[in-house]
Structure formats: structure tokens, C-alpha cells
Amino acid sequence: MRLSKKNAVVTGSSRGIGAEIARLFAREGATVVVSHRDSGPHKEEVVRSIKRAGGEALAIHCDVSDPSSVSSMYEEVEKSLGKIDVLVNSAGVSDGSLWNLPVNKTPLDAWRKVFAVDAFGTFLSTQGALKVMRKGGSVVNIASTPALAGDTEGLVYASAKGAVVSMTRMLAKSLAPGVRVNCMALGSIRTTWVDWLDRRQRDAYLSAIPMHRFGEPADVANLALFLASDESSFITGQVMVVDGGEVLR
Ligand code: NAP
């Protein structure tokens, strides 16, 4: 098993990509903290499915945009597990209404909302994790391909993810050699993000992807596993693209 004896926190793992990463990490031997913001049934389902498959997991509430919520989560993590080895910052705002806003109609609140979770949340959660990464560790961030290649839509998301890319590189240098920090830049992955595209948008997206399909959460989880595990022990500060070849065009 590639993560045996390791403890991992995955933020925003009540659903979507985070949930898939949590399940895969548990299958590979990690004890996983299913960090969730909602109070709905999703997180229990993720923890139950991990336990049913013979893995170890616990759910801990955390709104990554709230410093006190992040501190409480790591206090609880320390009490329950003592230390962590891996953090995946998967929490992100998914709100279709913010996607195709023209520049002159983009309210400042949209910037505050997305930056609070995607950029500041990634920072806060990483800052908290460092206090409980007793023997070093691996931080895996999530950005998106428009942050690297530009796009006509998603200005606010791409800008927040651009901050995540810079944070990855800055922290990789300052935290080496103890803690590695890498980032996955995602194209279109089949979660709620793809659900809110209309048919015309879906077709346009698919025709731009050389692999002719949307990514699956498992495609992302497989890379997260590699970056979390010791197999990537000489890799830090990197941004790896998971997009079916889309940014080649
Ligand atoms: P998703 O299905 O919408 O899930 C988002 C997750 O983030 C949910 O678990 C949500 O929790 C959590 N979250 C939102 N705000 C939070 C907060 N303040 N504190 C803690 N958790 C919070 O999205 P996804 O597609 O899995 O996205 C996962 C990551 O990949 C995100 O960072 C996203 O930006 C990035 N990404 C996705 C795609 C894609 O095509 N899917 C592309 C590029 C990048 P609740 O259940 O409480 O809402």
C-alpha cells in the first residue's frame, strides 16, 4: 500500500474530487480526515464507504475560509491522530453564476467569495497543517488550467487559482526539504462543475479536449496519490496538468 502508516487531511472531501481522493488514499492505507463544510449527509456517506471497504476515516467540520474553523479542525486532528503526513487542499467554490460574468459586470463580492475559499483557504489550511506535520509531509494543491493558459471565461476562478500556483512555488522553496508542495492544474473534470454546463457548452468543451472526454475524479485522485506518496519524494514546486491534453491547443 502506497500510503500505509500515513495520516491525510483532504479539505472539501464531502463530495466531488475531494471525496474520490479521500477514498483512494484510504484504500492505499492512509487514515483520512474527511474535512467538510456542509452539515448534510455527504460526509457520513464518504466515511461510511471508506470504512465499509476496510479503511480508516473520520469526518471533521472545517470552513477553510474561516481561520477559527481551520484552527479547530487541526486541534481535533492533533487530538485524534497526533500528526499528519499529507494535506490535499481540494475545497473550492463551484458556482456557475460566477463563470461567464463579463469583466464590467464582475462584482467585488465575487472576488471576495472565491478568493476566500480557493486562495486564502488553501493558505490557512496549509498553515494549520504545518503545525501537525511532525515528520515532514506532502501538500497537494488544486488549481485549474485557465490559471496557466488563460481563457475567455472564469476570470475570478482563474485568478484565485493563479494565487494557488504561486503559493505552491513559494512554499515549495521555503518549506523544503521537510515538506513538499505540488499542485494539480485541472481541466474539465466530471463533478458539479460540469453539471451546470448547458449542452452547447458541453459540446464546445469536449471538442477542445484531445482525449474527447471529461476527466473523472479518479483521474485526479491517481495523480494526488502519486504526489502524496514517497514515490514523488524528489518532486516539489511542480504544477501538473490533468486535462486530457486541452492546454496543448
Ligand atoms: P465540487 O464537487 O463542487 O466540490 C467542492 C468541495 O469544496 C465540496 O466538498 C464543498 O463542500 C467544498 N467547499 C466549498 N467551499 C468550502 C469551504 N468554504 N470550506 C470547506 N470546503 C468547502 O467541486 P470539485 O469539482 O470536486 O472541485 C474540487 C477542486 O478542484 C476545487 O478546488 C475546484 O476549484 C478544483 N477544480 C475543479 C475542476 C472541475 O472541472 N471539476 C476544474 C478545475 C479545478 P460543500 O459540500 O460543503 O459545499
Side-chain angles (χ1 to χ4, degrees):
M1 292 219 231
R2 294 157 77 185
L3 296 180
S4 65
K5 300 204 179 83
K6 293 198 193 281
N7 298 331
V9 170
V10 184
T11 69
S13 53
S14 53
R15 58 193 168 92
I17 292 164
E20 190 66 26
I21 292 172
R23 288 195 193 95
L24 179 60
F25 280 15
R27 284 204 298 282
E28 289 293 335
T31 297
V32 180
V33 174
V34 175
S35 164
H36 62 92
R37 178 192 57 170
D38 76 332
S39 50
H42 303 294
K43 83 262 182 189
E44 272 108 27
E45 182 38 44
V46 177
V47 170
R48 256 199 308 271
S49 66
I50 287 173
K51 289 190 170 165
R52 265 198 309 267
E56 299 281 340
L58 62 155
I60 302 182
H61 174 269
C62 179
D63 177 342
V64 295
S65 67
D66 173 359
S68 67
S69 179
V70 174
S71 298
S72 313
M73 173 178 73
Y74 284 111
E75 276 165 27
E76 212 174 321
V77 165
E78 189 164 27
K79 265 191 229 141
S80 309
L81 304 178
K83 55 107 189 171
I84 66 163
D85 309 279
V86 176
L87 165 67
V88 180
N89 285 307
S90 187
V93 173
S94 52
D95 180 344
S97 68
L98 298 177
W99 188 250
N100 45 13
L101 284 173
V103 178
N104 59 358
K105 295 211 173 116
T106 301
L108 203 47
D109 269 356
W111 288 87
R112 292 197 183 99
K113 182 176 173 180
V114 177
F115 267 74
V117 178
D118 291 62
F120 307 150
T122 296
F123 167 69
L124 287 171
S125 177
T126 304
Q127 195 182 42
L130 293 176
K131 295 183 192 144
V132 283
M133 278 189 172
R134 307 241 175 270
K135 297 180 182 161
S138 171
V139 176
V140 182
N141 292 329
I142 302 192
S144 63
T145 47
L148 308 177
D151 205 342
T152 52
E153 293 173 326
L155 168 70
V156 181
Y157 291 114
S159 303
K161 294 304 195 186
V164 172
V165 168
S166 302
M167 214 182 302
T168 299
R169 293 175 173 147
M170 295 297 294
L171 292 178
K173 288 237 172 180
S174 61
L175 299 176
V179 175
R180 296 184 296 111
V181 188
N182 290 291
C183 182
M184 304 184 292
L186 312 183
S188 300
I189 311 298
R190 225 158 46 87
T191 64
T192 49
W193 277 86
V194 167
D195 291 345
W196 48 255
L197 297 175
D198 63 31
R199 196 182 175 130
R200 184 193 56 78
Q201 289 169 310
R202 269 170 188 253
D203 291 347
Y205 275 74
L206 283 173
S207 70
I209 301 171
M211 300 302 286
H212 294 312
R213 67 170 177 91
F214 290 118
E216 295 296 329
D219 294 316
V220 182
N222 286 331
L223 177 58
L225 173 61
F226 171 69
L227 293 173
S229 76
D230 295 339
E231 289 162 23
S232 58
S233 63
F234 199 51
I235 298 176
T236 193
Q238 300 307 306
V239 180
M240 298 189 177
V241 174
V242 183
D243 74 340
E246 190 177 352
V247 295
L248 288 176
R249 294 197 166 185

